[in-house]
Amino acid sequence: MIENTTKKQDNEAFHEPSRQYFNPAQIVHNFSQKGRDHLNRKTSSQFILSLQAGAFMAFGAAFSILLSMGIDIKGVSHLMAGIGFATGYAMVFLSGAILFTEVNVLLPSYLFQKPSLMSLKIIKFLASDLPR
């Protein structure tokens, strides 16, 4: 009985962890669902979220300039500029704002899953997210 318990503990100790990543089919499915969610938003909401994303990216650009100003070492200057720009992108990502480049990836993945959905709704969504 003691040997069985020890063997069971040994098997539990060497148990492989569960998968910590998405397989490609899950990634495409998640892209498709997010594209559907963007498409089902009201036009005014889409427009406000795209303006918000633009403002965050402008903030990131300004922040990258401020961080890299006055640094003479070229590599460190580029690193600081990258950190500043990544801050703007992180704000976009965390807020749920809509970037035009994101839309160009998400909507086609949704449309390829459901090709009969190409409609005026999609064209309106893309047009509302174009730079003005």
Side-chain angles (χ1 to χ4, degrees):
M1 174 108 164
I2 294 173
E3 289 179 20
N4 288 340
T5 306
T6 305
K7 286 181 183 179
K8 187 175 182 180
Q9 288 174 352
D10 287 341
N11 287 339
E12 288 177 3
F14 294 110
H15 182 353
E16 292 182 20
S18 62
R19 187 168 49 97
Q20 301 287 319
Y21 59 90
F22 289 122
N23 61 37
Q26 289 173 315
I27 293 170
V28 170
H29 177 73
N30 287 343
F31 275 12
S32 175
Q33 296 306 311
K34 191 161 182 173
R36 184 200 65 205
D37 294 343
H38 281 321
L39 191 60
N40 290 332
R41 285 194 174 123
K42 293 179 184 176
T43 305
S44 60
S45 174
Q46 294 168 357
F47 181 71
I48 290 170
L49 288 173
S50 64
L51 287 178
Q52 184 181 16
F56 286 147
M57 294 308 288
F59 172 80
F63 192 48
S64 70
I65 291 169
L66 290 174
L67 285 178
S68 63
M69 268 183 6
I71 299 176
D72 295 332
I73 303 170
K74 194 172 188 177
V76 175
S77 174
H78 289 305
L79 175 67
M80 297 308 286
I83 289 171
F85 188 75
T87 302
Y89 185 74
M91 292 169 66
V92 169
F93 180 73
L94 293 174
S95 70
I98 302 173
L99 280 175
F100 184 69
T101 52
E102 178 187 16
V103 170
N104 288 328
V105 171
L106 296 177
L107 278 183
S109 65
Y110 178 58
L111 293 176
F112 290 144
Q113 297 273 328
K114 312 238 186 244
S116 64
L117 291 177
M118 186 56 135
S119 67
L120 183 61
K121 194 174 190 181
I122 294 169
I123 295 168
K124 279 177 48 179
F125 180 81
L126 289 171
S128 72
D129 211 23
L130 287 174
R132 309 243 179 237

